[in-house]
PDB file of all heavy atoms in Angstrom:
ATOM      1  N   VAL B  28     195.692  92.560 -22.543  1.00 97.00           N
ATOM      2  CA  VAL B  28     194.833  91.376 -22.575  1.00 97.00           C
ATOM      3  C   VAL B  28     195.013  90.646 -23.901  1.00 97.00           C
ATOM      4  O   VAL B  28     195.038  91.274 -24.960  1.00 97.00           O
ATOM      5  CB  VAL B  28     193.349  91.795 -22.380  1.00 97.00           C
ATOM      6  CG1 VAL B  28     192.412  90.663 -22.708  1.00 97.00           C
ATOM      7  CG2 VAL B  28     193.109  92.295 -20.948  1.00 97.00           C
ATOM      8  N   MET B  29     195.149  89.334 -23.816  1.00 97.00           N
ATOM      9  CA  MET B  29     195.300  88.539 -25.037  1.00 97.00           C
ATOM     10  C   MET B  29     193.944  88.027 -25.532  1.00 97.00           C
ATOM     11  O   MET B  29     193.071  87.696 -24.748  1.00 97.00           O
ATOM     12  CB  MET B  29     196.200  87.316 -24.768  1.00 97.00           C
ATOM     13  CG  MET B  29     197.654  87.644 -24.369  1.00 97.00           C
ATOM     14  SD  MET B  29     198.534  88.623 -25.603  1.00 97.00           S
ATOM     15  CE  MET B  29     198.752  87.373 -26.892  1.00 97.00           C
ATOM     16  N   LEU B  30     193.827  87.954 -26.859  1.00 97.00           N
ATOM     17  CA  LEU B  30     192.647  87.369 -27.497  1.00 97.00           C
ATOM     18  C   LEU B  30     193.057  86.013 -28.056  1.00 97.00           C
ATOM     19  O   LEU B  30     194.197  85.860 -28.471  1.00 97.00           O
ATOM     20  CB  LEU B  30     192.175  88.271 -28.645  1.00 97.00           C
ATOM     21  CG  LEU B  30     191.608  89.637 -28.248  1.00 97.00           C
ATOM     22  CD1 LEU B  30     191.445  90.483 -29.494  1.00 97.00           C
ATOM     23  CD2 LEU B  30     190.286  89.494 -27.531  1.00 97.00           C
ATOM     24  N   PRO B  31     192.152  85.044 -28.157  1.00 96.00           N
ATOM     25  CA  PRO B  31     190.772  85.091 -27.645  1.00 96.00           C
ATOM     26  C   PRO B  31     190.739  85.158 -26.119  1.00 96.00           C
ATOM     27  O   PRO B  31     191.698  84.783 -25.435  1.00 96.00           O
ATOM     28  CB  PRO B  31     190.171  83.776 -28.159  1.00 96.00           C
ATOM     29  CG  PRO B  31     191.252  82.986 -28.792  1.00 96.00           C
ATOM     30  CD  PRO B  31     192.483  83.797 -28.818  1.00 96.00           C
ATOM     31  N   LEU B  32     189.603  85.636 -25.588  1.00 97.00           N
ATOM     32  CA  LEU B  32     189.434  85.830 -24.147  1.00 97.00           C
ATOM     33  C   LEU B  32     189.254  84.482 -23.449  1.00 97.00           C
ATOM     34  O   LEU B  32     188.404  83.687 -23.853  1.00 97.00           O
ATOM     35  CB  LEU B  32     188.211  86.718 -23.892  1.00 97.00           C
ATOM     36  CG  LEU B  32     188.257  88.120 -24.497  1.00 97.00           C
ATOM     37  CD1 LEU B  32     186.856  88.733 -24.538  1.00 97.00           C
ATOM     38  CD2 LEU B  32     189.208  89.025 -23.730  1.00 97.00           C
ATOM     39  N   THR B  33     190.048  84.256 -22.413  1.00 96.00           N
ATOM     40  CA  THR B  33     189.881  83.012 -21.637  1.00 96.00           C
ATOM     41  C   THR B  33     188.898  83.280 -20.498  1.00 96.00           C
ATOM     42  O   THR B  33     188.600  84.438 -20.178  1.00 96.00           O
ATOM     43  CB  THR B  33     191.228  82.591 -21.003  1.00 96.00           C
ATOM     44  OG1 THR B  33     191.645  83.642 -20.121  1.00 96.00           O
ATOM     45  CG2 THR B  33     192.282  82.359 -22.057  1.00 96.00           C
ATOM     46  N   ASP B  34     188.418  82.220 -19.851  1.00 96.00           N
ATOM     47  CA  ASP B  34     187.523  82.375 -18.704  1.00 96.00           C
ATOM     48  C   ASP B  34     188.175  83.208 -17.617  1.00 96.00           C
ATOM     49  O   ASP B  34     187.560  84.052 -16.986  1.00 96.00           O
ATOM     50  CB  ASP B  34     187.113  81.012 -18.143  1.00 96.00           C
ATOM     51  CG  ASP B  34     186.051  80.350 -19.018  1.00 96.00           C
ATOM     52  OD1 ASP B  34     185.512  81.051 -19.901  1.00 96.00           O
ATOM     53  OD2 ASP B  34     185.785  79.147 -18.838  1.00 96.00           O
ATOM     54  N   GLU B  35     189.469  82.921 -17.422  1.00 97.00           N
ATOM     55  CA  GLU B  35     190.218  83.632 -16.383  1.00 97.00           C
ATOM     56  C   GLU B  35     190.254  85.139 -16.681  1.00 97.00           C
ATOM     57  O   GLU B  35     190.047  85.969 -15.794  1.00 97.00           O
ATOM     58  CB  GLU B  35     191.636  83.054 -16.336  1.00 97.00           C
ATOM     59  CG  GLU B  35     192.378  83.392 -15.092  1.00 97.00           C
ATOM     60  CD  GLU B  35     193.849  82.959 -15.193  1.00 97.00           C
ATOM     61  OE1 GLU B  35     194.191  82.155 -16.096  1.00 97.00           O
ATOM     62  OE2 GLU B  35     194.633  83.423 -14.370  1.00 97.00           O
ATOM     63  N   THR B  36     190.499  85.483 -17.948  1.00 97.00           N
ATOM     64  CA  THR B  36     190.524  86.906 -18.336  1.00 97.00           C
ATOM     65  C   THR B  36     189.147  87.531 -18.128  1.00 97.00           C
ATOM     66  O   THR B  36     189.024  88.608 -17.574  1.00 97.00           O
ATOM     67  CB  THR B  36     190.928  87.054 -19.826  1.00 97.00           C
ATOM     68  OG1 THR B  36     192.164  86.390 -20.023  1.00 97.00           O
ATOM     69  CG2 THR B  36     191.049  88.503 -20.214  1.00 97.00           C
ATOM     70  N   LEU B  37     188.106  86.828 -18.593  1.00 97.00           N
ATOM     71  CA  LEU B  37     186.748  87.359 -18.478  1.00 97.00           C
ATOM     72  C   LEU B  37     186.390  87.656 -17.031  1.00 97.00           C
ATOM     73  O   LEU B  37     185.769  88.668 -16.728  1.00 97.00           O
ATOM     74  CB  LEU B  37     185.741  86.366 -19.085  1.00 97.00           C
ATOM     75  CG  LEU B  37     185.787  86.265 -20.611  1.00 97.00           C
ATOM     76  CD1 LEU B  37     185.126  84.972 -21.081  1.00 97.00           C
ATOM     77  CD2 LEU B  37     185.113  87.471 -21.252  1.00 97.00           C
ATOM     78  N   GLU B  38     186.833  86.784 -16.129  1.00 97.00           N
ATOM     79  CA  GLU B  38     186.549  86.972 -14.701  1.00 97.00           C
ATOM     80  C   GLU B  38     187.314  88.160 -14.131  1.00 97.00           C
ATOM     81  O   GLU B  38     186.875  88.787 -13.165  1.00 97.00           O
ATOM     82  CB  GLU B  38     186.879  85.691 -13.923  1.00 97.00           C
ATOM     83  CG  GLU B  38     185.813  84.623 -14.092  1.00 97.00           C
ATOM     84  CD  GLU B  38     186.291  83.218 -13.731  1.00 97.00           C
ATOM     85  OE1 GLU B  38     187.311  83.108 -13.023  1.00 97.00           O
ATOM     86  OE2 GLU B  38     185.643  82.262 -14.171  1.00 97.00           O
ATOM     87  N   SER B  39     188.464  88.490 -14.728  1.00 97.00           N
ATOM     88  CA  SER B  39     189.301  89.564 -14.178  1.00 97.00           C
ATOM     89  C   SER B  39     188.877  90.949 -14.679  1.00 97.00           C
ATOM     90  O   SER B  39     189.257  91.971 -14.108  1.00 97.00           O
ATOM     91  CB  SER B  39     190.765  89.322 -14.565  1.00 97.00           C
ATOM     92  OG  SER B  39     190.959  89.636 -15.934  1.00 97.00           O
ATOM     93  N   LEU B  40     188.105  91.001 -15.763  1.00 98.00           N
ATOM     94  CA  LEU B  40     187.759  92.311 -16.342  1.00 98.00           C
ATOM     95  C   LEU B  40     186.608  92.968 -15.588  1.00 98.00           C
ATOM     96  O   LEU B  40     185.604  92.320 -15.283  1.00 98.00           O
ATOM     97  CB  LEU B  40     187.386  92.146 -17.821  1.00 98.00           C
ATOM     98  CG  LEU B  40     188.496  91.664 -18.755  1.00 98.00           C
ATOM     99  CD1 LEU B  40     187.963  91.488 -20.171  1.00 98.00           C
ATOM    100  CD2 LEU B  40     189.678  92.635 -18.749  1.00 98.00           C
ATOM    101  N   LYS B  41     186.761  94.274 -15.320  1.00 97.00           N
ATOM    102  CA  LYS B  41     185.733  95.036 -14.614  1.00 97.00           C
ATOM    103  C   LYS B  41     185.356  96.273 -15.430  1.00 97.00           C
ATOM    104  O   LYS B  41     186.222  96.881 -16.078  1.00 97.00           O
ATOM    105  CB  LYS B  41     186.262  95.501 -13.254  1.00 97.00           C
ATOM    106  CG  LYS B  41     186.715  94.392 -12.324  1.00 97.00           C
ATOM    107  CD  LYS B  41     185.559  93.857 -11.480  1.00 97.00           C
ATOM    108  CE  LYS B  41     185.853  92.496 -10.887  1.00 97.00           C
ATOM    109  NZ  LYS B  41     187.117  92.448 -10.115  1.00 97.00           N
TER     110      LYS B  41
END
Side-chain angles (χ1 to χ4, degrees):
Chain B
V28 167
M29 297 302 289
L30 293 169
L32 299 163
T33 61
D34 283 349
E35 196 188 345
T36 305
L37 288 161
E38 283 161 19
S39 75
L40 296 177
K41 301 272 162 54

